[in-house]
Amino acid sequence: MTGVSRIHGGRAVWAALDLSLAAGTLTVVTGPNGSGKSTLLRMASGLLRPSSGSRECAGRALYVRGGGGLRGAQTVVDAVAATAGLAGRRGAADAAVDLLGIRALAHRRVGTLSAGERVRAAMAAAVACRPALLCLDEPTAALDTRGTEDLAAVLDALRADGRTVLVATHQPGALLTAADAHLEIDDGRVVLR
């Protein structure tokens, strides 16, 4: 992204931003509520257009918010396969379910899962799509300590596969220690830490 800004309610969310994410890296974005973390991820994924500047992505980008996006009436494996099918990767569902450690949940309906289990199922769907850029908005909010550690291991596997990951979180913990970069958004500025 070059010279990117976004105007909400007549004011810039942050000063014009230049951001380049290398393949196979993990960047963690932190900041207070309302600082523009989700806006940044939605622009990076192409869901929002910048008010100024430009965005480029070498490949498909995917935005995932918490445990959302899967149909509650479907089984986990069917929901993951259906989502992956939209990216032409239906056959990748089983491997993604195994990578996320949710094989025991494969035949349960998404609507019956706990919040943390839904996060894992949504992550499996995202992984199965194999985007070049994966933007995760608050993926740790519903995860316990083990779930967060497991997520960090999955993100390491994605990085090893050349995927780029951008994560916005209030609970950086294990993700921050594994990150290649840390962006902090505060008071209209984005600072590389």
Side-chain angles (χ1 to χ4, degrees), residues 45-85:
S45 68
L47 289 177
L48 280 178
R49 288 187 180 165
S51 300
S52 65
S54 63
R55 172 209 172 263
E56 262 184 61
C57 184
R60 182 180 13 245
L62 183 62
Y63 171 87
V64 178
R65 173 134 180 98
L70 302 180
R71 294 180 56 201
Q74 288 183 303
T75 65
V76 169
V77 73
D78 287 343
V80 171
T83 303

Side-chain angles (χ1 to χ4, degrees), residues 93-156:
D94 283 333
V97 165
D98 289 339
L99 179 64
L100 269 295
I102 56 172
R103 176 59 54 196
L105 305 175
H107 298 290
R108 284 187 46 198
R109 300 216 179 274
V110 172
T112 68
L113 302 177
S114 73
E117 291 169 336
R118 279 194 305 276
V119 168
R120 288 175 181 250
M123 277 295 303
V127 166
C129 290
R130 202 171 185 266
L133 172 62
L134 180 56
C135 299
L136 301 174
D137 199 349
E138 298 293 348
T140 58
L143 295 178
D144 56 21
T145 301
R146 180 173 174 220
T148 301
E149 291 167 356
D150 290 348
L151 175 63
V154 169
L155 297 181
D156 280 342

Side-chain angles (χ1 to χ4, degrees), residues 30 53 55 86 89-90 106 130 141 153 164 166 168 170 174 182:
T30 61
R55 172 209 172 263
L86 296 173
R89 297 187 41 82
R90 189 173 184 85
R130 202 171 185 266
T164 302
L166 185 61
H170 286 288
H182 173 203

